[in-house]
Amino acid sequence: MATQSAGVRRVISAAKARLTVAIDSIGMPGSRRRKRAALAEQHRLSFDLLCKAMADPALAEVLNTYESEIPIDKQRQFLFANALYVNNLHFYRIGALTQAELYGHLRVMCQNKVFREYWEATRHHRKSLPEASEEFILGRMADDLIQELADSDTDEWWVVGEPPDESA
């Protein structure tokens, strides 16, 4: 029953996402609309693959590219942390979040020990990104935020770090 409810929620969520993309695309120039639709579809497919890997240890093993041995339960947590990060990255890319808002979401996610472990375990993944790429820049922003949070001497984590200035 719980599996069926989760499946129904996933179908409803996918339908809502497609409806949102369709509504948002009305009035957009053609190429921008196609790019946004392609990003939404790519995100949906990636998320579906991550869900399958989280549900099946044999599939999760395919994504095990960590530099040390990670137990399967930890791998599942890492896949979920990745899904959260990629979801926020997607919202930023389609314009649903500003960079400052993305920073705020990262600040919350970085409070979680498992997320920080995932981020450290995947550091070598981000080394292959071109330094001028958007994903490299946002990854560096997360790296800096994690370091600032670690160096902070305040319990008020929500004030640590300086969100990017988007007025420039």
Side-chain angles (χ1 to χ4, degrees), residues 103 110-111 116 119-120 123 139-153 160-161:
Y103 186 88
C110 291
Q111 291 308 301
R116 290 190 309 269
W119 197 254
E120 182 58 33
R123 178 174 299 283
R140 177 65 53 91
M141 184 173 75
D143 288 339
D144 293 346
L145 178 58
I146 288 171
Q147 188 60 54
E148 289 173 15
L149 288 165
D151 293 344
S152 174
D153 60 355
V160 172

Side-chain angles (χ1 to χ4, degrees), residues 1 4-5 9 12-13 19 27 32 42 48 58 64 76 78 81 87 99 112 122 125 129-130 136 145 152 157-158:
M1 186 72 166
Q4 184 179 14
S5 296
R9 282 194 302 268
I12 290 170
S13 177
L19 180 60
R32 188 168 151 218
Q42 185 266 338
D48 286 349
N64 182 356
R76 285 177 161 162
F78 284 6
N87 191 56
Q99 197 174 69
N112 184 275
T122 58
H125 297 173
L129 296 170
F136 179 90
L145 178 58
S152 174
W157 57 266
W158 55 92

Side-chain angles (χ1 to χ4, degrees), residues 11-160:
V11 169
I12 290 170
S13 177
K16 284 181 182 177
R18 287 186 180 133
L19 180 60
T20 299
V21 168
I23 289 170
D24 287 348
S25 69
I26 296 171
M28 278 187 185
S31 64
R32 188 168 151 218
R33 180 178 357 151
R34 284 189 299 277
K35 180 180 179 185
R36 192 167 176 178
L39 280 171
E41 182 64 12
Q42 185 266 338
H43 176 70
R44 186 190 65 76
L45 290 171
S46 294
F47 186 74
D48 286 349
L49 291 171
L50 279 174
C51 287
K52 288 178 182 184
M54 283 185 275
D56 184 340
L59 297 179
E61 189 59 36
V62 173
L63 297 175
N64 182 356
T65 58
Y66 308 107
E67 292 182 329
S68 62
E69 195 62 33
I70 307 288
I72 190 64
D73 286 341
K74 182 65 74 173
Q75 284 183 41
R76 285 177 161 162
Q77 290 177 328
F78 284 6
L79 291 173
F80 189 76
N82 176 260
L84 290 176
Y85 174 72
V86 169
N87 191 56
N88 280 286
L89 188 63
H90 171 69
F91 284 151
Y92 169 73
R93 285 180 171 156
I94 66 168
L97 291 177
T98 65
Q99 197 174 69
E101 290 168 329
L102 174 63
Y103 186 88
H105 287 275
L106 286 173
R107 186 187 282 151
V108 172
M109 291 178 352
C110 291
Q111 291 308 301
N112 184 275
K113 179 184 176 219
V114 175
F115 182 84
R116 290 190 309 269
E117 289 173 359
Y118 151 76
W119 197 254
E120 182 58 33
T122 58
R123 178 174 299 283
H124 67 285
H125 297 173
R126 293 184 297 282
K127 286 183 179 179
S128 67
L129 296 170
E131 290 187 20
S133 74
E134 180 179 61
E135 194 167 349
F136 179 90
I137 293 165
L138 296 174
R140 177 65 53 91
M141 184 173 75
D143 288 339
D144 293 346
L145 178 58
I146 288 171
Q147 188 60 54
E148 289 173 15
L149 288 165
D151 293 344
S152 174
D153 60 355
T154 180
D155 291 334
E156 297 176 344
W157 57 266
W158 55 92
V159 299
V160 172

